[in-house]
Amino acid sequence: MYTVLVISCHPDDMEIACAGTLLKCKERGDRVVVCHLSSGNLGHEIIPPDELTVMRAGEAKRSGELGGFEVMWGGFNDLEIYDNNKEARDKVVNVIKAVDPDFIITHSPDDYMPDHTATSKLVFDACFTATLPNYHTEVEGRARLVPVYYMDTLAGVNFNPTEYVDVTPYIDKKLEMLNCHESQIVWMRDHDHIDFPDMVRTCCRYRGFQCGADYAEGFRQCQVYLKGTTKRLLP
């Protein structure tokens, strides 16, 4: 039905914020493509970056296979994503051109860490740039100008959804996908002192209270000229 492109920063951000929605998209017949811009190579107390890069790629692959999603990589490392440069923007332009989505999901511009906010700005810039026929990058052609949806911030801080998706039937599989990221469950316990899967379940329960569902995921559409639509694109 639709081609859905999620451009997330790290290999577990999708599972945290929108995996239930993507599983629902997949069930209605959508093609779901997830691009992790960063390798996630700094997300551990003990495992060195080169080793962690390989580990996290494997975790993301297993999670993607569980969901039936296509998985792509952006080629950045942690804390090397900067929004105000052509090389980084062109990497994201190439992803958007290659996938040609009907809509895009990415990070909120007000999230809690620099890689997330840089990813959000890169996607905002690139999704327009990718539509220009005379702007040439490694991937030729052009994408369509499509709506962009911002997914929830970590723990929902400073994020007020304008759209909700009931993910009650998918919450267990969402958490199963999250549990593929074993290195990050350890990292969040050691670095942030939290039970990561429990936090994610609790946040979905909280969003559910807001919209009358048992579990939900929240989104906010990017409200700018030419990115509006009369259609309900989220499932």
Side-chain angles (χ1 to χ4, degrees):
M1 188 177 183
Y2 295 118
T3 294
V4 184
L5 173 61
V6 178
I7 303 180
S8 68
C9 186
H10 306 102
D12 68 346
D13 292 331
M14 171 271 290
E15 288 82 354
I16 297 167
C18 65
T21 297
L22 298 183
L23 288 166
K24 199 168 186 177
C25 285
K26 188 71 179 178
E27 187 174 72
R28 74 178 178 184
D30 292 354
R31 176 193 179 202
V32 177
V33 184
V34 180
C35 178
H36 306 294
L37 286 192
S38 176
S39 65
N41 67 326
L42 297 181
H44 207 277
E45 295 275 352
I46 299 171
I47 301 171
D50 289 348
E51 184 179 339
L52 189 59
T53 294
V54 176
M55 182 179 295
R56 296 203 67 182
E59 292 170 344
K61 181 181 178 182
R62 289 192 294 276
S63 174
E65 288 173 350
L66 271 177
F69 308 156
E70 300 172 43
V71 177
M72 302 173 62
W73 297 90
F76 297 93
N77 285 322
D78 281 359
L79 298 176
E80 292 181 359
I81 303 177
Y82 300 99
D83 60 276
N84 193 26
N85 72 89
K86 184 178 185 300
E87 181 182 1
R89 184 182 65 196
D90 285 357
K91 283 186 177 184
V92 182
V93 167
N94 285 332
V95 170
I96 294 171
K97 284 183 176 181
V99 176
D100 189 27
D102 292 290
F103 64 96
I104 297 170
I105 298 173
T106 193
H107 291 281
S108 166
D110 300 314
D111 213 342
Y112 81 109
M113 59 93 70
D115 280 353
H116 286 199
T117 56
T119 294
S120 182
K121 185 61 165 61
L122 279 174
V123 172
F124 180 85
D125 293 350
C127 68
F128 180 84
T129 306
T131 68
L132 302 177
N134 292 315
Y135 188 88
H136 300 287
T137 60
E138 182 180 333
V139 178
E140 288 297 334
R142 61 174 175 173
R144 293 164 289 159
L145 193 60
V146 299
V148 173
Y149 295 90
Y150 296 128
M151 58 191 179
D152 218 335
T153 59
L154 197 64
V157 177
N158 290 327
F159 190 87
N160 291 313
T162 56
E163 297 198 42
Y164 295 89
V165 176
D166 184 348
V167 298
T168 305
Y170 311 96
I171 187 65
D172 290 338
K173 192 164 186 179
K174 170 187 170 83
L175 294 174
E176 184 182 0
M177 293 171 65
L178 180 65
N179 280 323
C180 290
H181 297 274
E182 297 174 5
S183 68
Q184 295 313 285
I185 293 171
V186 173
W187 163 253
M188 295 296 279
R189 183 194 67 209
D190 294 345
H191 185 263
D192 293 358
H193 311 295
I194 61 170
D195 179 331
F196 198 23
D198 180 67
M199 184 197 79
V200 171
R201 179 186 286 274
T202 300
C203 289
C204 285
R205 185 74 178 114
Y206 173 66
R207 292 303 186 201
F209 279 127
Q210 294 177 328
C211 64
D214 287 339
Y215 294 95
E217 292 171 344
F219 300 87
R220 191 173 71 244
Q221 188 175 350
C222 176
Q223 296 286 356
V224 297
Y225 175 62
L226 295 178
K227 286 189 173 64
T229 178
T230 59
K231 297 179 181 179
R232 165 77 182 192
L233 294 173
L234 295 172

